[in-house]
Amino acid sequence: EHRDWSLSLAQYVDGRGLSRAWAEEFVYPTLAANWGVSVSDVVDFPAYSVLKVLSRYRGAGHRFLELEGGVSSYVDRLVGRLNRVALRPGIGVSRLVHLDDGRVRVEDDRGGAATFDDVVLATSARDAARMLAGVPRAARWREVLGRFRHFDTTIAIHGDPSFMPARREDWSMINVFHERGRASWQTEGAGRGEGASVFRTWLRPDDPRPERLHWLQSFHHLIVTPESEGLHRRIADLQGEAGLWAVGMYTTDVDNHESALASAVLVARALAARSRREATNDWPASGAA
């Protein structure tokens, strides 16, 4: 309730009087596997962030929901309504340049360019900082974005049951594995509802590639720290400076999808304050998702 970011997960666990064995053999490995981070990293996570994410799914009124047709079903619906937007998928941004009139020129990796009054950086803090390299007017933006920490990780979508518990009767939607003194990881039974052998696994660096591999994705994942709250405030103060805006779960509150959505709503309100449609929606008034 007080949004106290200063208390680490380890300090919270110690304060609750939990035994060291319970913490080291269950609490930390389970949370580390859920976030896809190392056990040594998760103990320093702000307890506020961890508890808020977990508490969202507690009680009868909170459930995980699956959309018919998958995530693409609602993405396609959203894209279909963007009839006043020029979408250019598959084109990367190579550079941003501030012009003398205050506008921003976006240069792409295919030799094209377009000029805008405002540019929204809807990507990770690391990629946003890289995009602003060599942009003098974005110096304060780069300094803040560069303070966020990340770790590199890989997720595999596959059909290899060897990444599930050895006994079929132990299979669950979320399956956490822990090797004492080494690491923890998890495999999700993504196809469980349809009875399909489709799994999603956070791979460790030395793990072999699963058989029947459908997709492999490597990316950098945000690490939330006690410093995150202060960085959120600095980003809020910078929004709109030099015609630049930032959205993403790293910009506000805890690291979950709701925070990413709230960050986008805040910027949309600032850029289209008089939008009749936006004003009728009951979105949160702040970044607290």
Side-chain angles (χ1 to χ4, degrees):
E1 293 178 355
H2 298 289
R3 296 172 56 88
D4 180 6
W5 287 75
S6 65
L7 195 69
S8 71
L9 180 61
Q11 290 171 327
Y12 174 80
V13 168
D14 289 344
R16 300 287 290 184
L18 299 177
S19 72
R20 182 175 179 179
W22 175 250
E24 293 181 353
E25 296 179 21
F26 177 75
V27 177
Y28 298 147
T30 302
L31 294 176
N34 191 262
W35 259 263
V37 299
S38 67
V39 174
S40 60
D41 280 325
V42 81
V43 297
D44 294 325
F45 272 27
Y48 164 74
S49 178
V50 173
L51 294 173
K52 184 167 185 179
V53 172
L54 296 179
S55 66
R56 294 190 66 84
Y57 308 109
R58 183 176 59 195
H62 295 80
R63 297 174 297 166
F64 285 105
L65 302 177
E66 293 185 9
L67 294 167
E68 292 185 6
V71 173
S72 60
S73 63
Y74 81 81
V75 173
D76 291 343
R77 290 282 295 274
L78 289 171
V79 170
R81 299 178 66 175
L82 297 176
N83 53 13
R84 297 176 58 194
V85 177
L87 297 175
R88 300 175 185 175
I91 300 179
V93 174
S94 59
R95 187 168 78 127
L96 300 181
V97 180
H98 277 103
L99 305 179
D100 292 338
D101 62 3
R103 295 190 297 167
V104 184
R105 185 173 73 241
V106 178
E107 299 178 356
D108 65 49
D109 58 8
R110 299 188 184 179
T115 301
F116 302 95
D117 297 323
D118 294 271
V119 171
V120 179
L121 303 171
T123 185
S124 71
R126 181 188 291 183
D127 288 338
R130 175 188 54 78
M131 206 177 300
L132 297 177
V135 183
R137 297 184 194 175
R140 294 211 304 165
W141 272 111
R142 288 199 310 275
E143 192 275 327
V144 173
L145 295 172
R147 300 284 291 275
F148 288 96
R149 294 173 53 202
H150 300 81
F151 68 95
D152 294 320
T153 190
T154 299
I155 285 181
I157 308 297
H158 60 91
D160 189 345
S162 69
F163 284 79
M164 292 287 279
R167 301 194 314 163
R168 184 66 181 255
E169 55 266 34
D170 292 333
W171 286 19
S172 184
M173 181 64 186
I174 305 296
N175 306 271
V176 175
F177 303 84
H178 177 223
E179 292 182 5
R180 186 178 301 176
R182 288 196 63 222
S184 62
W185 70 99
Q186 77 175 30
T187 292
E188 297 177 14
R192 188 182 184 197
E194 293 76 31
S197 295
V198 179
F199 313 108
R200 177 178 182 264
T201 300
W202 293 87
L203 293 178
R204 298 168 298 171
D206 57 346
D207 278 341
R209 296 292 184 258
E211 296 182 5
R212 296 192 293 280
L213 183 64
H214 304 307
W215 189 262
L216 194 69
Q217 185 69 50
S218 296
F219 59 98
H220 44 266
H221 193 291
L222 176 70
I223 296 180
V224 177
T225 69
E227 186 186 17
S228 296
E229 182 190 28
L231 294 176
H232 296 161
R233 291 195 297 267
R234 293 184 63 184
I235 287 175
D237 292 338
L238 284 173
Q239 295 286 25
E241 180 172 298
L244 301 173
W245 306 77
V247 299
M249 71 180 184
Y250 73 91
T251 66
T252 182
D253 208 46
V254 299
D255 60 327
N256 61 3
H257 295 175
E258 288 86 345
S259 294
L261 177 60
S263 74
V265 171
L266 292 171
V267 170
R269 280 180 162 168
L271 290 173
R274 292 183 297 276
S275 169
R276 180 185 62 80
R277 175 174 176 78
E278 187 279 330
T280 62
N281 285 319
D282 186 23
W283 293 103
S286 70

